[in-house]
């Protein structure tokens, strides 16, 4: 989905790359609803669903495998994969410890519903879960200006009817003054990190 107020030509670029693009006509953004709708539109029962953001880079934990090859080796009774992720301060340096909440991949079935943030999924049939098949890296904020713009854009599109805890970290950033946000950015950049570039088949965009 591409927001109707997008100004960076994302839709055209995606279409030219062969992607199916749908306009997000909703006033408020509620990620699970959009992700579930896409899965219902395009998936057949048993298909793997990977719901991820553009700032996330997924890969097979066994680096010799592609994602598709790794998924093909998952036993049929495993219906959910929890995906451990690391946050990056830049393309090359990740935090020492993984993020507190994993992301999720799952085998599609009618009625499947991913939760906010793509951290979990409800499957009507239940099913076993596993770890250590896929991993991801996240480059959430590319610069101070990107941080400032992104947190305000997200909060402005949050549905006020959502539970108060939804988007709480974004609301915290959006409520900061420019000076406070600059301090927050500097603290982000100073986090303990290790040199471990984001896995990618093409040169990193520096």
């Amino acid at each position: 989905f591409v927001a109707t107020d997008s100004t960076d030509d994302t839709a055209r670029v995606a279409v030219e790359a062969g992607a199916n693009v749908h306009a997000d006509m909703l006033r408020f953004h509620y990620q699970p609803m959009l992700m579930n709708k896409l899965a219902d539109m395009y998936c057949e029962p048993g298909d793997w669903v990977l719901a991820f953001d553009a700032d996330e880079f997924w890969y097979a934990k066994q680096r010799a495998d592609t994602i598709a090859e790794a998924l093909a080796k998952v036993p049929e009774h495993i219906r959910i994969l929890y995906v451990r992720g690391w946050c990056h301060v830049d393309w090359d340096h990740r935090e020492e410890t993984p993020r507190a909440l994993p992301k999720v991949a799952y085998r599609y079935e009618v009625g499947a519903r991913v939760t906010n943030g793509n951290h979990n999924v409800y499957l009507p049939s239940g099913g076993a879960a596993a770890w250590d098949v896929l991993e991801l890296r996240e480059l959430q904020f590319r610069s101070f200006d990107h941080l400032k713009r992104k947190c305000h854009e997200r909060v402005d599109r949050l549905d006020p009817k959502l539970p108060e805890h939804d988007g709480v970290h974004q609301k915290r950033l959006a409520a900061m003054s420019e000076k406070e946000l600059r301090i927050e950015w500097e603290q982000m950049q100073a986090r303990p990190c290790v040199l471990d570039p984001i896995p990618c088949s093409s040169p990193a965009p520096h």
Side-chain angles (χ1 to χ4, degrees):
F1 283 91
V2 175
T4 53
D5 58 355
S6 175
T7 60
D8 62 2
D9 221 14
T10 297
R12 180 188 62 79
V13 172
V15 168
E16 290 179 355
N20 292 315
V21 177
H22 301 272
D24 177 4
M25 305 298 292
L26 300 175
R27 178 182 177 189
F28 298 116
H29 175 73
Y30 189 43
Q31 186 183 42
M33 183 181 67
L34 298 180
M35 298 300 99
N36 292 327
K37 184 175 181 179
L38 281 173
D40 289 340
M41 290 169 63
Y42 290 106
C43 294
E44 298 292 335
D47 289 348
W48 280 105
V49 179
L50 281 65
F52 60 91
D53 298 328
D55 58 8
E56 296 172 6
F57 300 84
W58 290 45
Y59 56 95
K61 184 174 181 180
Q62 299 299 324
R63 301 288 186 86
D65 288 341
T66 65
I67 289 176
E69 289 168 344
L71 293 176
K73 296 177 183 178
V74 178
E76 182 64 29
H77 74 283
I78 300 296
R79 313 297 293 174
I80 300 171
L81 296 178
Y82 289 109
V83 183
R84 190 175 288 107
W86 284 264
C87 189
H88 276 244
V89 299
D90 58 32
W91 193 273
D92 298 315
H93 298 86
R94 66 163 174 83
E95 293 184 358
E96 292 179 333
T97 56
R99 307 205 68 167
L101 295 175
K103 298 290 184 169
V104 69
Y106 62 97
R107 295 186 195 267
Y108 177 77
E109 61 184 71
V110 175
R113 291 296 177 259
V114 71
T115 64
N116 200 19
N118 301 329
H119 297 302
N120 213 334
V121 65
Y122 164 76
L123 297 181
S125 66
W131 292 74
D132 297 328
V133 175
L134 305 178
E135 292 184 340
L136 71 90
R137 308 296 179 86
E138 183 176 5
L139 185 56
Q140 191 172 24
F141 304 116
R142 297 187 297 273
S143 67
F144 173 70
D145 286 339
H146 184 233
L147 164 65
K148 183 168 59 174
R149 184 179 75 252
K150 189 173 182 179
C151 64
H152 283 285
E153 286 177 349
R154 286 188 170 187
V155 169
D156 289 347
R157 296 198 72 210
L158 280 176
D159 188 338
K161 296 192 296 293
L162 291 176
E164 188 174 343
H165 65 268
D166 276 28
V168 64
H169 58 298
Q170 299 159 1
K171 295 173 184 175
R172 182 181 70 86
L173 292 173
M176 290 182 176
S177 67
E178 175 129 355
K179 181 179 180 180
E180 291 170 331
L181 201 58
R182 175 69 71 176
I183 293 172
E184 184 82 8
W185 169 252
E186 291 173 353
Q187 291 174 343
M188 288 180 182
Q189 297 302 106
R191 290 172 296 190
C193 289
V194 297
L195 178 63
D196 187 9
I198 292 174
C200 187
S201 60
S202 59
H206 288 290

